Amino acid sequence: MTLNSFARRWITVGAVLMLLGVILGAFGTHLLAARLEPKQFASYQTGVLYHLLHALGLVLVGLVGQAGPVSRPLRASAALMAFGIACFSGAIYLITAGAPRAFGMVAPIGGLSFMIAWTLLAVHARGGARNG
């Protein structure tokens, strides 16, 4: 099967982000767990979980884009999932690495991005699938 450019892009990005999430999860379990306070480690694990879930979401969005028309809501959903990983999980990773706690103010932007991304995927599925 030949993938269209949308599917190829987002499946690739999702797969690479899944790989990174697995690496960061293993890093956290094997190297950080003993060095962090339990609350910090729980936060780190939350960052990894959301990272992995939304990387898998990107693969899903790519597959949806392969199966049918690619709409504006679908394009925006993909971009917002990737942006959300960077903001939400990225902020948690940075804080865990010692960055100022002020970076935590970025995490809610990522969380909102995730919510909007899933909403837009639903809009696409419900008929907002006009080519765009």
Side-chain angles (χ1 to χ4, degrees), residues 71-127:
S71 67
R72 284 189 179 113
L74 191 63
R75 289 180 193 281
S77 178
L80 286 168
M81 281 192 197
F83 180 74
I85 292 169
C87 289
F88 184 84
S89 297
I92 292 171
Y93 299 150
L94 288 172
I95 291 168
T96 302
R101 301 241 358 120
F103 275 95
M105 294 173 20
V106 175
I109 296 167
L112 182 60
S113 296
F114 291 150
M115 290 181 240
I116 295 169
W118 288 109
T119 301
L120 290 171
L121 181 58
V123 166
H124 172 83
R126 290 289 299 164

mmCIF file of all heavy atoms in Angstrom, residues 71-127:
data_model
loop_
_atom_site.group_PDB
_atom_site.id
_atom_site.type_symbol
_atom_site.label_atom_id
_atom_site.label_comp_id
_atom_site.label_asym_id
_atom_site.label_seq_id
_atom_site.Cartn_x
_atom_site.Cartn_y
_atom_site.Cartn_z
ATOM 1 N N SER A 71 -9.400 16.478 5.910
ATOM 2 C CA SER A 71 -10.091 17.740 6.136
ATOM 3 C C SER A 71 -9.233 18.704 6.941
ATOM 4 O O SER A 71 -8.215 18.321 7.527
ATOM 5 C CB SER A 71 -11.398 17.473 6.898
ATOM 6 O OG SER A 71 -11.104 17.011 8.201
ATOM 7 N N ARG A 72 -9.677 19.944 7.000
ATOM 8 C CA ARG A 72 -8.992 20.925 7.855
ATOM 9 C C ARG A 72 -9.012 20.495 9.314
ATOM 10 O O ARG A 72 -7.989 20.611 9.986
ATOM 11 C CB ARG A 72 -9.617 22.310 7.689
ATOM 12 C CG ARG A 72 -9.208 22.979 6.400
ATOM 13 C CD ARG A 72 -9.666 24.442 6.373
ATOM 14 N NE ARG A 72 -9.249 25.047 5.141
ATOM 15 C CZ ARG A 72 -10.058 25.453 4.178
ATOM 16 N NH1 ARG A 72 -11.362 25.337 4.323
ATOM 17 N NH2 ARG A 72 -9.585 25.981 3.081
ATOM 18 N N PRO A 73 -10.159 20.002 9.827
ATOM 19 C CA PRO A 73 -10.139 19.546 11.221
ATOM 20 C C PRO A 73 -9.146 18.403 11.456
ATOM 21 O O PRO A 73 -8.498 18.360 12.508
ATOM 22 C CB PRO A 73 -11.580 19.079 11.471
ATOM 23 C CG PRO A 73 -12.404 19.855 10.503
ATOM 24 C CD PRO A 73 -11.531 20.017 9.287
ATOM 25 N N LEU A 74 -8.987 17.517 10.495
ATOM 26 C CA LEU A 74 -8.044 16.415 10.658
ATOM 27 C C LEU A 74 -6.608 16.927 10.659
ATOM 28 O O LEU A 74 -5.789 16.503 11.479
ATOM 29 C CB LEU A 74 -8.245 15.367 9.561
ATOM 30 C CG LEU A 74 -7.498 14.046 9.769
ATOM 31 C CD1 LEU A 74 -7.993 13.327 11.022
ATOM 32 C CD2 LEU A 74 -7.646 13.157 8.542
ATOM 33 N N ARG A 75 -6.315 17.857 9.760
ATOM 34 C CA ARG A 75 -4.974 18.454 9.731
ATOM 35 C C ARG A 75 -4.661 19.163 11.055
ATOM 36 O O ARG A 75 -3.570 19.013 11.618
ATOM 37 C CB ARG A 75 -4.848 19.453 8.587
ATOM 38 C CG ARG A 75 -4.818 18.833 7.217
ATOM 39 C CD ARG A 75 -4.693 19.926 6.137
ATOM 40 N NE ARG A 75 -4.958 19.395 4.824
ATOM 41 C CZ ARG A 75 -4.091 18.691 4.113
ATOM 42 N NH1 ARG A 75 -2.895 18.430 4.586
ATOM 43 N NH2 ARG A 75 -4.424 18.226 2.917
ATOM 44 N N ALA A 76 -5.635 19.920 11.538
ATOM 45 C CA ALA A 76 -5.437 20.648 12.794
ATOM 46 C C ALA A 76 -5.303 19.682 13.964
ATOM 47 O O ALA A 76 -4.504 19.915 14.878
ATOM 48 C CB ALA A 76 -6.594 21.618 13.025
ATOM 49 N N SER A 77 -6.053 18.591 13.938
ATOM 50 C CA SER A 77 -5.956 17.587 14.997
ATOM 51 C C SER A 77 -4.537 17.038 15.096
ATOM 52 O O SER A 77 -3.968 16.944 16.192
ATOM 53 C CB SER A 77 -6.949 16.452 14.739
ATOM 54 O OG SER A 77 -6.839 15.453 15.718
ATOM 55 N N ALA A 78 -3.956 16.708 13.970
ATOM 56 C CA ALA A 78 -2.587 16.180 13.963
ATOM 57 C C ALA A 78 -1.608 17.204 14.526
ATOM 58 O O ALA A 78 -0.789 16.889 15.399
ATOM 59 C CB ALA A 78 -2.184 15.776 12.543
ATOM 60 N N ALA A 79 -1.690 18.414 14.042
ATOM 61 C CA ALA A 79 -0.764 19.454 14.496
ATOM 62 C C ALA A 79 -0.913 19.719 15.990
ATOM 63 O O ALA A 79 0.087 19.884 16.705
ATOM 64 C CB ALA A 79 -0.991 20.739 13.699
ATOM 65 N N LEU A 80 -2.144 19.725 16.483
ATOM 66 C CA LEU A 80 -2.371 20.002 17.897
ATOM 67 C C LEU A 80 -1.916 18.854 18.790
ATOM 68 O O LEU A 80 -1.473 19.078 19.921
ATOM 69 C CB LEU A 80 -3.838 20.338 18.150
ATOM 70 C CG LEU A 80 -4.244 21.732 17.673
ATOM 71 C CD1 LEU A 80 -5.758 21.885 17.685
ATOM 72 C CD2 LEU A 80 -3.584 22.801 18.534
ATOM 73 N N MET A 81 -2.021 17.623 18.306
ATOM 74 C CA MET A 81 -1.497 16.502 19.101
ATOM 75 C C MET A 81 0.017 16.621 19.247
ATOM 76 O O MET A 81 0.557 16.450 20.345
ATOM 77 C CB MET A 81 -1.876 15.154 18.484
ATOM 78 C CG MET A 81 -3.283 14.742 18.788
ATOM 79 S SD MET A 81 -3.578 13.034 18.360
ATOM 80 C CE MET A 81 -5.362 13.045 18.338
ATOM 81 N N ALA A 82 0.699 16.922 18.157
ATOM 82 C CA ALA A 82 2.156 17.072 18.216
ATOM 83 C C ALA A 82 2.541 18.261 19.103
ATOM 84 O O ALA A 82 3.446 18.159 19.940
ATOM 85 C CB ALA A 82 2.730 17.239 16.809
ATOM 86 N N PHE A 83 1.845 19.361 18.942
ATOM 87 C CA PHE A 83 2.093 20.553 19.761
ATOM 88 C C PHE A 83 1.828 20.251 21.233
ATOM 89 O O PHE A 83 2.579 20.673 22.113
ATOM 90 C CB PHE A 83 1.206 21.703 19.265
ATOM 91 C CG PHE A 83 1.375 22.988 20.022
ATOM 92 C CD1 PHE A 83 2.501 23.767 19.848
ATOM 93 C CD2 PHE A 83 0.392 23.419 20.898
ATOM 94 C CE1 PHE A 83 2.660 24.966 20.540
ATOM 95 C CE2 PHE A 83 0.536 24.607 21.601
ATOM 96 C CZ PHE A 83 1.676 25.385 21.423
ATOM 97 N N GLY A 84 0.771 19.506 21.498
ATOM 98 C CA GLY A 84 0.429 19.153 22.871
ATOM 99 C C GLY A 84 1.501 18.315 23.537
ATOM 100 O O GLY A 84 1.803 18.505 24.722
ATOM 101 N N ILE A 85 2.073 17.374 22.785
ATOM 102 C CA ILE A 85 3.165 16.566 23.336
ATOM 103 C C ILE A 85 4.329 17.474 23.720
ATOM 104 O O ILE A 85 4.897 17.353 24.807
ATOM 105 C CB ILE A 85 3.620 15.476 22.345
ATOM 106 C CG1 ILE A 85 2.529 14.414 22.176
ATOM 107 C CG2 ILE A 85 4.930 14.827 22.804
ATOM 108 C CD1 ILE A 85 2.768 13.437 21.029
ATOM 109 N N ALA A 86 4.678 18.384 22.824
ATOM 110 C CA ALA A 86 5.796 19.288 23.095
ATOM 111 C C ALA A 86 5.521 20.146 24.330
ATOM 112 O O ALA A 86 6.395 20.295 25.194
ATOM 113 C CB ALA A 86 6.074 20.165 21.881
ATOM 114 N N CYS A 87 4.312 20.679 24.438
ATOM 115 C CA CYS A 87 4.008 21.579 25.559
ATOM 116 C C CYS A 87 3.768 20.823 26.857
ATOM 117 O O CYS A 87 4.373 21.146 27.878
ATOM 118 C CB CYS A 87 2.780 22.428 25.229
ATOM 119 S SG CYS A 87 3.069 23.672 23.970
ATOM 120 N N PHE A 88 2.883 19.836 26.828
ATOM 121 C CA PHE A 88 2.510 19.153 28.060
ATOM 122 C C PHE A 88 3.648 18.277 28.572
ATOM 123 O O PHE A 88 4.191 18.505 29.647
ATOM 124 C CB PHE A 88 1.244 18.308 27.845
ATOM 125 C CG PHE A 88 0.754 17.642 29.094
ATOM 126 C CD1 PHE A 88 -0.045 18.320 29.992
ATOM 127 C CD2 PHE A 88 1.098 16.329 29.387
ATOM 128 C CE1 PHE A 88 -0.496 17.719 31.168
ATOM 129 C CE2 PHE A 88 0.656 15.712 30.548
ATOM 130 C CZ PHE A 88 -0.141 16.407 31.435
ATOM 131 N N SER A 89 4.018 17.296 27.783
ATOM 132 C CA SER A 89 5.073 16.377 28.227
ATOM 133 C C SER A 89 6.417 17.084 28.286
ATOM 134 O O SER A 89 7.203 16.858 29.211
ATOM 135 C CB SER A 89 5.134 15.165 27.295
ATOM 136 O OG SER A 89 3.920 14.450 27.362
ATOM 137 N N GLY A 90 6.682 17.941 27.317
ATOM 138 C CA GLY A 90 7.945 18.670 27.296
ATOM 139 C C GLY A 90 8.151 19.493 28.554
ATOM 140 O O GLY A 90 9.244 19.515 29.128
ATOM 141 N N ALA A 91 7.106 20.177 29.008
ATOM 142 C CA ALA A 91 7.216 20.972 30.231
ATOM 143 C C ALA A 91 7.530 20.076 31.429
ATOM 144 O O ALA A 91 8.378 20.411 32.266
ATOM 145 C CB ALA A 91 5.926 21.759 30.472
ATOM 146 N N ILE A 92 6.860 18.945 31.502
ATOM 147 C CA ILE A 92 7.116 18.019 32.618
ATOM 148 C C ILE A 92 8.540 17.492 32.557
ATOM 149 O O ILE A 92 9.234 17.431 33.578
ATOM 150 C CB ILE A 92 6.080 16.873 32.609
ATOM 151 C CG1 ILE A 92 4.697 17.433 32.958
ATOM 152 C CG2 ILE A 92 6.492 15.757 33.577
ATOM 153 C CD1 ILE A 92 3.556 16.457 32.789
ATOM 154 N N TYR A 93 9.003 17.133 31.369
ATOM 155 C CA TYR A 93 10.373 16.631 31.233
ATOM 156 C C TYR A 93 11.387 17.699 31.651
ATOM 157 O O TYR A 93 12.364 17.410 32.339
ATOM 158 C CB TYR A 93 10.667 16.190 29.797
ATOM 159 C CG TYR A 93 9.803 15.062 29.284
ATOM 160 C CD1 TYR A 93 9.498 14.976 27.921
ATOM 161 C CD2 TYR A 93 9.289 14.072 30.112
ATOM 162 C CE1 TYR A 93 8.726 13.935 27.428
ATOM 163 C CE2 TYR A 93 8.511 13.042 29.618
ATOM 164 C CZ TYR A 93 8.226 12.976 28.268
ATOM 165 O OH TYR A 93 7.458 11.960 27.784
ATOM 166 N N LEU A 94 11.155 18.928 31.228
ATOM 167 C CA LEU A 94 12.083 20.011 31.560
ATOM 168 C C LEU A 94 12.124 20.283 33.057
ATOM 169 O O LEU A 94 13.197 20.470 33.638
ATOM 170 C CB LEU A 94 11.718 21.281 30.790
ATOM 171 C CG LEU A 94 12.020 21.246 29.294
ATOM 172 C CD1 LEU A 94 11.425 22.474 28.601
ATOM 173 C CD2 LEU A 94 13.517 21.157 29.043
ATOM 174 N N ILE A 95 10.962 20.289 33.683
ATOM 175 C CA ILE A 95 10.915 20.522 35.127
ATOM 176 C C ILE A 95 11.623 19.389 35.865
ATOM 177 O O ILE A 95 12.385 19.621 36.813
ATOM 178 C CB ILE A 95 9.456 20.691 35.609
ATOM 179 C CG1 ILE A 95 8.899 22.013 35.080
ATOM 180 C CG2 ILE A 95 9.373 20.635 37.132
ATOM 181 C CD1 ILE A 95 7.412 22.169 35.249
ATOM 182 N N THR A 96 11.396 18.162 35.420
ATOM 183 C CA THR A 96 12.061 17.017 36.042
ATOM 184 C C THR A 96 13.573 17.125 35.891
ATOM 185 O O THR A 96 14.325 16.722 36.780
ATOM 186 C CB THR A 96 11.559 15.697 35.419
ATOM 187 O OG1 THR A 96 10.141 15.620 35.584
ATOM 188 C CG2 THR A 96 12.196 14.490 36.076
ATOM 189 N N ALA A 97 14.030 17.700 34.777
ATOM 190 C CA ALA A 97 15.469 17.853 34.527
ATOM 191 C C ALA A 97 16.067 19.048 35.266
ATOM 192 O O ALA A 97 17.264 19.288 35.170
ATOM 193 C CB ALA A 97 15.724 17.991 33.028
ATOM 194 N N GLY A 98 15.227 19.806 35.986
ATOM 195 C CA GLY A 98 15.753 20.908 36.775
ATOM 196 C C GLY A 98 15.403 22.297 36.281
ATOM 197 O O GLY A 98 15.858 23.285 36.864
ATOM 198 N N ALA A 99 14.628 22.399 35.219
ATOM 199 C CA ALA A 99 14.220 23.722 34.721
ATOM 200 C C ALA A 99 13.336 24.401 35.765
ATOM 201 O O ALA A 99 12.732 23.726 36.612
ATOM 202 C CB ALA A 99 13.464 23.577 33.395
ATOM 203 N N PRO A 100 13.239 25.707 35.721
ATOM 204 C CA PRO A 100 12.393 26.422 36.679
ATOM 205 C C PRO A 100 10.946 25.929 36.626
ATOM 206 O O PRO A 100 10.426 25.581 35.567
ATOM 207 C CB PRO A 100 12.480 27.879 36.210
ATOM 208 C CG PRO A 100 13.740 27.956 35.424
ATOM 209 C CD PRO A 100 13.923 26.603 34.801
ATOM 210 N N ARG A 101 10.306 25.901 37.775
ATOM 211 C CA ARG A 101 8.919 25.427 37.876
ATOM 212 C C ARG A 101 7.975 26.269 37.019
ATOM 213 O O ARG A 101 6.876 25.824 36.702
ATOM 214 C CB ARG A 101 8.458 25.438 39.325
ATOM 215 C CG ARG A 101 9.325 24.575 40.182
ATOM 216 C CD ARG A 101 8.758 23.412 40.912
ATOM 217 N NE ARG A 101 7.384 23.071 40.885
ATOM 218 C CZ ARG A 101 6.935 21.906 40.426
ATOM 219 N NH1 ARG A 101 7.758 21.032 39.924
ATOM 220 N NH2 ARG A 101 5.659 21.623 40.480
ATOM 221 N N ALA A 102 8.395 27.450 36.624
ATOM 222 C CA ALA A 102 7.570 28.307 35.776
ATOM 223 C C ALA A 102 7.222 27.620 34.453
ATOM 224 O O ALA A 102 6.209 27.938 33.832
ATOM 225 C CB ALA A 102 8.268 29.631 35.512
ATOM 226 N N PHE A 103 8.053 26.667 34.030
ATOM 227 C CA PHE A 103 7.747 25.927 32.810
ATOM 228 C C PHE A 103 6.439 25.150 32.946
ATOM 229 O O PHE A 103 5.824 24.785 31.948
ATOM 230 C CB PHE A 103 8.886 24.963 32.453
ATOM 231 C CG PHE A 103 9.988 25.594 31.665
ATOM 232 C CD1 PHE A 103 11.112 26.087 32.307
ATOM 233 C CD2 PHE A 103 9.908 25.701 30.283
ATOM 234 C CE1 PHE A 103 12.133 26.682 31.591
ATOM 235 C CE2 PHE A 103 10.915 26.296 29.562
ATOM 236 C CZ PHE A 103 12.038 26.796 30.209
ATOM 237 N N GLY A 104 6.034 24.909 34.177
ATOM 238 C CA GLY A 104 4.775 24.218 34.416
ATOM 239 C C GLY A 104 3.580 24.972 33.878
ATOM 240 O O GLY A 104 2.527 24.382 33.628
ATOM 241 N N MET A 105 3.729 26.270 33.656
ATOM 242 C CA MET A 105 2.634 27.064 33.106
ATOM 243 C C MET A 105 2.362 26.719 31.647
ATOM 244 O O MET A 105 1.306 27.052 31.123
ATOM 245 C CB MET A 105 2.938 28.558 33.277
ATOM 246 C CG MET A 105 2.969 28.951 34.741
ATOM 247 S SD MET A 105 3.495 30.644 35.147
ATOM 248 C CE MET A 105 3.285 31.573 33.682
ATOM 249 N N VAL A 106 3.290 26.049 31.000
ATOM 250 C CA VAL A 106 3.123 25.661 29.597
ATOM 251 C C VAL A 106 2.282 24.382 29.485
ATOM 252 O O VAL A 106 1.576 24.184 28.496
ATOM 253 C CB VAL A 106 4.504 25.466 28.926
ATOM 254 C CG1 VAL A 106 4.379 24.956 27.517
ATOM 255 C CG2 VAL A 106 5.290 26.764 28.965
ATOM 256 N N ALA A 107 2.342 23.528 30.496
ATOM 257 C CA ALA A 107 1.652 22.239 30.448
ATOM 258 C C ALA A 107 0.144 22.368 30.169
ATOM 259 O O ALA A 107 -0.378 21.608 29.348
ATOM 260 C CB ALA A 107 1.918 21.447 31.715
ATOM 261 N N PRO A 108 -0.575 23.297 30.799
ATOM 262 C CA PRO A 108 -2.008 23.398 30.501
ATOM 263 C C PRO A 108 -2.306 23.748 29.038
ATOM 264 O O PRO A 108 -3.345 23.343 28.499
ATOM 265 C CB PRO A 108 -2.507 24.496 31.438
ATOM 266 C CG PRO A 108 -1.516 24.511 32.553
ATOM 267 C CD PRO A 108 -0.200 24.155 31.924
ATOM 268 N N ILE A 109 -1.401 24.461 28.397
ATOM 269 C CA ILE A 109 -1.578 24.764 26.973
ATOM 270 C C ILE A 109 -1.540 23.460 26.181
ATOM 271 O O ILE A 109 -2.332 23.244 25.268
ATOM 272 C CB ILE A 109 -0.505 25.754 26.482
ATOM 273 C CG1 ILE A 109 -0.662 27.101 27.191
ATOM 274 C CG2 ILE A 109 -0.559 25.918 24.962
ATOM 275 C CD1 ILE A 109 0.515 28.039 27.008
ATOM 276 N N GLY A 110 -0.620 22.578 26.559
ATOM 277 C CA GLY A 110 -0.552 21.272 25.916
ATOM 278 C C GLY A 110 -1.797 20.445 26.180
ATOM 279 O O GLY A 110 -2.326 19.791 25.281
ATOM 280 N N GLY A 111 -2.292 20.482 27.420
ATOM 281 C CA GLY A 111 -3.510 19.750 27.752
ATOM 282 C C GLY A 111 -4.702 20.248 26.958
ATOM 283 O O GLY A 111 -5.505 19.451 26.445
ATOM 284 N N LEU A 112 -4.814 21.553 26.827
ATOM 285 C CA LEU A 112 -5.894 22.131 26.018
ATOM 286 C C LEU A 112 -5.733 21.732 24.557
ATOM 287 O O LEU A 112 -6.719 21.422 23.872
ATOM 288 C CB LEU A 112 -5.905 23.656 26.173
ATOM 289 C CG LEU A 112 -7.007 24.404 25.440
ATOM 290 C CD1 LEU A 112 -8.380 23.952 25.928
ATOM 291 C CD2 LEU A 112 -6.837 25.906 25.641
ATOM 292 N N SER A 113 -4.511 21.697 24.075
ATOM 293 C CA SER A 113 -4.248 21.269 22.698
ATOM 294 C C SER A 113 -4.721 19.835 22.473
ATOM 295 O O SER A 113 -5.307 19.526 21.440
ATOM 296 C CB SER A 113 -2.758 21.364 22.370
ATOM 297 O OG SER A 113 -2.329 22.695 22.425
ATOM 298 N N PHE A 114 -4.463 18.966 23.459
ATOM 299 C CA PHE A 114 -4.936 17.579 23.349
ATOM 300 C C PHE A 114 -6.458 17.537 23.240
ATOM 301 O O PHE A 114 -7.016 16.819 22.404
ATOM 302 C CB PHE A 114 -4.509 16.761 24.571
ATOM 303 C CG PHE A 114 -3.030 16.479 24.680
ATOM 304 C CD1 PHE A 114 -2.452 16.338 25.931
ATOM 305 C CD2 PHE A 114 -2.224 16.326 23.565
ATOM 306 C CE1 PHE A 114 -1.101 16.046 26.076
ATOM 307 C CE2 PHE A 114 -0.869 16.046 23.688
ATOM 308 C CZ PHE A 114 -0.307 15.898 24.954
ATOM 309 N N MET A 115 -7.127 18.287 24.095
ATOM 310 C CA MET A 115 -8.593 18.288 24.090
ATOM 311 C C MET A 115 -9.158 18.773 22.755
ATOM 312 O O MET A 115 -10.098 18.173 22.211
ATOM 313 C CB MET A 115 -9.126 19.152 25.231
ATOM 314 C CG MET A 115 -8.900 18.571 26.598
ATOM 315 S SD MET A 115 -9.591 19.663 27.866
ATOM 316 C CE MET A 115 -8.120 20.035 28.795
ATOM 317 N N ILE A 116 -8.585 19.839 22.242
ATOM 318 C CA ILE A 116 -9.054 20.375 20.961
ATOM 319 C C ILE A 116 -8.743 19.387 19.838
ATOM 320 O O ILE A 116 -9.568 19.180 18.941
ATOM 321 C CB ILE A 116 -8.434 21.758 20.681
ATOM 322 C CG1 ILE A 116 -8.919 22.769 21.732
ATOM 323 C CG2 ILE A 116 -8.775 22.239 19.280
ATOM 324 C CD1 ILE A 116 -8.165 24.096 21.714
ATOM 325 N N ALA A 117 -7.580 18.743 19.894
ATOM 326 C CA ALA A 117 -7.203 17.773 18.858
ATOM 327 C C ALA A 117 -8.213 16.632 18.783
ATOM 328 O O ALA A 117 -8.651 16.243 17.693
ATOM 329 C CB ALA A 117 -5.801 17.223 19.132
ATOM 330 N N TRP A 118 -8.592 16.086 19.930
ATOM 331 C CA TRP A 118 -9.558 14.976 19.932
ATOM 332 C C TRP A 118 -10.932 15.458 19.483
ATOM 333 O O TRP A 118 -11.656 14.731 18.788
ATOM 334 C CB TRP A 118 -9.613 14.311 21.303
ATOM 335 C CG TRP A 118 -8.380 13.510 21.590
ATOM 336 C CD1 TRP A 118 -7.390 13.816 22.479
ATOM 337 C CD2 TRP A 118 -7.974 12.287 20.960
ATOM 338 N NE1 TRP A 118 -6.408 12.846 22.441
ATOM 339 C CE2 TRP A 118 -6.743 11.900 21.524
ATOM 340 C CE3 TRP A 118 -8.537 11.475 19.977
ATOM 341 C CZ2 TRP A 118 -6.056 10.742 21.136
ATOM 342 C CZ3 TRP A 118 -7.861 10.321 19.589
ATOM 343 C CH2 TRP A 118 -6.645 9.966 20.161
ATOM 344 N N THR A 119 -11.292 16.685 19.861
ATOM 345 C CA THR A 119 -12.566 17.255 19.405
ATOM 346 C C THR A 119 -12.572 17.386 17.888
ATOM 347 O O THR A 119 -13.561 17.038 17.227
ATOM 348 C CB THR A 119 -12.808 18.627 20.067
ATOM 349 O OG1 THR A 119 -12.835 18.453 21.486
ATOM 350 C CG2 THR A 119 -14.105 19.254 19.584
ATOM 351 N N LEU A 120 -11.473 17.860 17.328
ATOM 352 C CA LEU A 120 -11.394 18.021 15.872
ATOM 353 C C LEU A 120 -11.408 16.681 15.148
ATOM 354 O O LEU A 120 -11.967 16.575 14.054
ATOM 355 C CB LEU A 120 -10.158 18.831 15.500
ATOM 356 C CG LEU A 120 -10.228 20.309 15.892
ATOM 357 C CD1 LEU A 120 -8.878 20.979 15.681
ATOM 358 C CD2 LEU A 120 -11.327 21.017 15.125
ATOM 359 N N LEU A 121 -10.824 15.660 15.743
ATOM 360 C CA LEU A 121 -10.914 14.329 15.141
ATOM 361 C C LEU A 121 -12.366 13.870 15.119
ATOM 362 O O LEU A 121 -12.835 13.306 14.121
ATOM 363 C CB LEU A 121 -10.030 13.328 15.897
ATOM 364 C CG LEU A 121 -10.020 11.904 15.362
ATOM 365 C CD1 LEU A 121 -9.569 11.848 13.896
ATOM 366 C CD2 LEU A 121 -9.119 11.022 16.230
ATOM 367 N N ALA A 122 -13.106 14.143 16.189
ATOM 368 C CA ALA A 122 -14.531 13.799 16.222
ATOM 369 C C ALA A 122 -15.310 14.604 15.181
ATOM 370 O O ALA A 122 -16.199 14.059 14.503
ATOM 371 C CB ALA A 122 -15.097 14.043 17.623
ATOM 372 N N VAL A 123 -14.978 15.879 15.034
ATOM 373 C CA VAL A 123 -15.643 16.717 14.017
ATOM 374 C C VAL A 123 -15.396 16.125 12.636
ATOM 375 O O VAL A 123 -16.313 16.009 11.818
ATOM 376 C CB VAL A 123 -15.129 18.180 14.098
ATOM 377 C CG1 VAL A 123 -15.534 18.977 12.868
ATOM 378 C CG2 VAL A 123 -15.642 18.838 15.368
ATOM 379 N N HIS A 124 -14.153 15.732 12.380
ATOM 380 C CA HIS A 124 -13.837 15.103 11.098
ATOM 381 C C HIS A 124 -14.686 13.848 10.899
ATOM 382 O O HIS A 124 -15.281 13.661 9.833
ATOM 383 C CB HIS A 124 -12.343 14.749 11.040
ATOM 384 C CG HIS A 124 -11.972 13.937 9.843
ATOM 385 N ND1 HIS A 124 -11.710 14.506 8.620
ATOM 386 C CD2 HIS A 124 -11.856 12.599 9.685
ATOM 387 C CE1 HIS A 124 -11.440 13.545 7.750
ATOM 388 N NE2 HIS A 124 -11.522 12.366 8.379
ATOM 389 N N ALA A 125 -14.744 13.018 11.909
ATOM 390 C CA ALA A 125 -15.490 11.756 11.799
ATOM 391 C C ALA A 125 -16.993 11.983 11.621
ATOM 392 O O ALA A 125 -17.661 11.196 10.951
ATOM 393 C CB ALA A 125 -15.240 10.906 13.038
ATOM 394 N N ARG A 126 -17.505 13.078 12.184
ATOM 395 C CA ARG A 126 -18.938 13.353 12.093
ATOM 396 C C ARG A 126 -19.333 14.053 10.800
ATOM 397 O O ARG A 126 -20.490 14.350 10.589
ATOM 398 C CB ARG A 126 -19.376 14.217 13.274
ATOM 399 C CG ARG A 126 -19.377 13.525 14.593
ATOM 400 C CD ARG A 126 -20.447 12.506 14.746
ATOM 401 N NE ARG A 126 -21.748 13.156 14.614
ATOM 402 C CZ ARG A 126 -22.862 12.509 14.392
ATOM 403 N NH1 ARG A 126 -22.871 11.216 14.269
ATOM 404 N NH2 ARG A 126 -24.005 13.143 14.288
ATOM 405 N N GLY A 127 -18.384 14.326 9.941
ATOM 406 C CA GLY A 127 -18.767 14.900 8.665
ATOM 407 C C GLY A 127 -18.052 16.176 8.293
ATOM 408 O O GLY A 127 -18.315 16.744 7.242
#
